[in-house]
Amino acid sequence: MRIYSRILGTGSYLPENRLTNADLAAELALQGVETSDEWIVDRTGIRARHFAADDQGSSDLATEAARHALAAAGISADDLDLIIVATSTPDMVFPSVATMVQNKLGTAGCPAFDVQAVCSGFIYALTIADAMIQSGSVKRALVIGSEVFSRILDFQDRTTCVLFGDGAGAVILEASDQPGILATDLHADGKYKDILCVPGHVNRGGILGDPVLKMDGQAVFKLAVGVLEDTARASLAKANLTDADIDWLIPHQANIRIMQSTARKLKMSADKVVVTVDQHGNTSAASIPLALDTAVRDGRIHRGQTLMLEGVGGGFTWGSVLLRY
Ligand code: UT7
């Protein structure tokens, strides 16, 4: 009999400090950088973002999200067999955020590691956890996406600094004989490294290269709309399902225009797309579990429904997870 990975519970966390577009525009104006609520909403759909406090790292946000997911699942951290954190903004070069989360949750022993696939990180992490559950080696996994992108933004660059925010989202997966994750699809193409990257790195006690996010927005946009359709179709084909079987599309939350375009290509109406980018901007690996948790908690997503989760980001990386909730 096939072993499935079922979502037992979800959770998320956004830091307290919330800046609307108007708040951010006012702060940027003080540094001579001009932007407006109108431009940001028009081009991206973003209305607000949250920034972590100086003493909060990805592991703190991840731990909060994990606590909510554990409570929703009705299990304790000691019940976990695996912890994976998807992040591109770890607290330290090493150890991993996942081991810090494990410790902050007050448990020890189970394997814990990070996955770095930028905005597709949560899809990658979920796929790895699913494979480990299907193999029988793991029964319960905590999978988190957590980011503090505010730390790697160049606030002199209005083409990027208005787009990103901080946050975390988490799911608890459990082995089950009932359908859960139905199909997964992952891809990468390293030739696109320069269109979305943070080129700086630690070198002999200093930073070599520019340690802030660089993005060619239009190039990313064009690539994203193509691969998001392709990967959704690939997962559907693997599960012998069609577009019409998807109840909810939960895409990476970067830009409302990319999400609407993907929905059109999949012949889905806009009201079947979970959109939270307006409330937290692009939170990279955290965006998909943040959107998922929001729609679970507000009652839109019901048990038995079919969800298409999909992401695209730096690398380039992209992929999808099709699941029965
Ligand atoms: O998470 C990874 C995935 N990332 C993404 O999916 C991002 C994909 N890309 C995008 O979402 C869009 O390309 C952006 C939102 C980044 C940009 O939107 P766009 O419609 O492609 O705008 P643009 O880059 O063509 O810029 C249009 C104009 C430019 O002015 P000129 O040259 O036409 O005079 C920019 O200088 O908008 C200007 N502009 C701004 N104006 C006010 C750029 N940023 C801003 C800003 N405020 N923040």
Side-chain angles (χ1 to χ4, degrees), residues 14-53:
L14 289 167
E16 261 176 49
N17 183 20
R18 179 178 186 269
L19 278 90
T20 63
N21 291 343
D23 296 333
L24 184 62
E27 278 195 16
L28 293 175
L30 296 174
Q31 302 165 45
V33 176
E34 197 186 320
T35 189
S36 65
D37 174 53
E38 195 191 359
W39 189 94
I40 302 170
V41 173
D42 231 47
R43 302 288 175 130
T44 71
I46 297 166
R47 293 181 183 277
R49 76 282 299 135
H50 294 245
F51 287 157

Side-chain angles (χ1 to χ4, degrees), residues 34-36 39-40 43-44 119 158-159 162-164 196 215 217-218 220-221 224 252 254-255 257-258 282 284 312-314:
E34 197 186 320
T35 189
S36 65
W39 189 94
I40 302 170
R43 302 288 175 130
T44 71
C119 302
R158 68 177 182 172
T159 68
V162 302
L163 305 176
F164 295 88
L196 180 50
M215 180 169 75
Q218 289 189 359
V220 171
F221 196 106
H252 170 46
N255 186 319
R257 292 187 290 141
I258 297 178
N282 183 345
S284 192
V312 55

Side-chain angles (χ1 to χ4, degrees), residues 119-120 123 185 187 220-236 246 249-263 265-266 268 273 287-288 308-313 316-321:
C119 302
S120 314
I123 297 295
D185 183 61
H187 299 277
V220 171
F221 196 106
K222 270 186 218 138
L223 264 173
V225 289
V227 298
L228 287 173
E229 181 189 9
D230 294 346
T231 188
R233 296 211 176 282
S235 278
L236 285 168
I246 305 172
L249 179 66
I250 308 175
H252 170 46
Q253 308 284 313
N255 186 319
I256 184 83
R257 292 187 290 141
I258 297 178
M259 292 187 254
Q260 288 166 343
S261 156
T262 308
K265 289 182 174 194
L266 296 174
M268 296 183 68
V273 185
S287 88
I288 295 169
M308 173 66 78
L309 279 49
E310 54 172 359
V312 55
F316 239 61
T317 58
W318 65 99
S320 57
V321 171

